[in-house]
Amino acid sequence: MESEQRHLLVRFEGEDLGHGAHVVLPRLSLALHQGERVALLGQSGAGKSTLLAELRRRLGEEAAWCPQHHGLVPQLAVYHNVFMGRLPEHSALANLWNLVRPLRGPWREVAVLCDELGLTGLMRRPVGELSGGQRQRVAIARALYQARPLFLGDEPVASVDPHQALRLLDLIDSRHTTSVVALHQRELALSHFDRVWGLRDGRLAIDARADELSLTELDALYPDAAEPAGSPPPGNDDVPLPSPEALPCARGRP
């Protein structure tokens, strides 16, 4: 089968993931293959960040990382925050000099990224003066600047509108062969990604191709949502959401 022929990057086989003695995701079994674009869904606290942290640990320098809370230095300019994506590649002296007088090559490279991300003209502006959406794009720029084959993102498009989110995901795809992105936009998960991992109640409830899933199945990952996306319109509220046991966790890879 096609996915089995792809290079295996990471496999979990009945493993417990968590923090110290606290297990968040018990007996987790799943695999990530090269070339896959995976949407990671689940309520806050479902274990998405825990899974991403373990993927990051195992993939090491192969994966670019975009954290949920950006991890930017507000006092530094956009350029310097993006440059930090490759900080280890330069000597301490070069990095110190770069704080005072930006290096010519990196400046050009970061400028290209900023143009693509709609940050033109903001290279010298302190990140603390930017809007939430602009800071989100700076964090993505820093991850892209790492120039690694895989992209791991913890809600990297949470602070932008749907149109911008699609553009940013397209840009991420153009620069990375494989990605795992945590998000809450279920429609985007079905339209943009080729695989979905869904977490609920401390377990992997969904591991299936996006084209095999429906919004109703994804809505079941969010039982606390008052009006989940994809819920039936008024007059059809007698259509039940599937129970966790009905979710397609048993669907095999194609």
Side-chain angles (χ1 to χ4, degrees):
M1 300 232 178
E2 183 181 350
S3 68
E4 294 300 329
Q5 293 171 356
R6 293 176 177 176
H7 176 60
L8 177 66
L9 298 173
V10 175
R11 183 185 295 279
F12 299 94
E13 294 183 339
E15 300 181 39
D16 294 342
L17 303 187
H19 315 284
H22 176 59
V23 176
V24 177
L25 297 170
R27 301 179 300 279
L28 178 70
S29 294
L30 60 77
L32 175 66
H33 292 79
Q34 186 177 32
E36 288 188 313
R37 307 199 185 281
V38 181
L40 176 58
L41 302 180
Q43 293 191 125
S44 297
K48 300 188 301 296
S49 295
T50 298
L51 177 53
L52 285 170
E54 183 60 19
L55 286 171
R56 187 185 177 201
R57 186 185 73 81
R58 297 195 184 192
L59 292 167
E61 294 185 358
E62 292 295 304
W65 171 238
C66 187
Q68 181 177 9
H69 299 295
H70 307 158
L72 304 173
V73 181
Q75 297 85 359
L76 291 182
V78 168
Y79 164 74
H80 292 108
N81 274 275
V82 176
F83 176 83
M84 284 192 292
R86 292 189 190 172
L87 205 63
E89 299 180 11
H90 302 274
S91 68
L93 182 60
N95 288 330
L96 184 60
W97 178 258
N98 185 64
L99 279 172
V100 180
R101 186 183 297 273
L103 301 172
R104 185 174 302 174
W107 178 270
R108 288 196 299 262
E109 294 166 347
V110 173
V112 170
L113 269 178
C114 286
D115 287 346
E116 291 185 284
L117 287 160
L119 298 168
T120 304
L122 300 177
M123 294 259 288
R124 299 184 184 275
R125 184 170 301 181
V127 164
E129 298 179 5
L130 302 181
S131 68
Q134 288 171 330
R135 288 194 297 269
Q136 186 121 58
R137 281 176 276 159
V138 173
I140 292 174
R142 183 186 56 197
L144 297 180
Y145 190 58
Q146 294 174 45
R148 296 176 177 178
L150 291 90
F151 180 92
L152 300 177
D154 196 350
E155 302 186 26
V157 294
S159 300
V160 298
D161 61 57
H163 177 69
Q164 287 191 63
L166 190 56
R167 289 188 61 252
L168 291 174
L169 290 172
D170 284 339
L171 183 58
I172 290 169
D173 288 349
S174 71
R175 291 173 176 261
H176 301 87
T177 59
T178 306
S179 60
V180 179
V181 177
L183 71 167
H184 292 294
Q185 299 97 316
R186 279 85 93 191
E187 296 92 343
L188 202 55
L190 294 182
S191 65
H192 188 85
F193 295 85
D194 53 46
R195 191 160 203 89
V196 175
W197 294 341
L199 302 178
R200 178 174 174 181
D201 298 331
R203 67 185 181 90
L204 183 68
I206 292 177
D207 179 10
R209 288 183 56 86
D211 58 13
E212 296 176 347
L213 296 167
S214 67
L215 273 175
T216 301
E217 290 171 313
L218 300 190
D219 287 341
L221 298 170
Y222 299 84
D224 296 338
E227 294 182 2
S231 58
N236 292 321
D237 54 1
D238 58 334
V239 179
L241 293 176
S243 66
E245 290 74 19
L247 291 170
C249 58
R251 294 181 186 173
R253 293 181 169 274

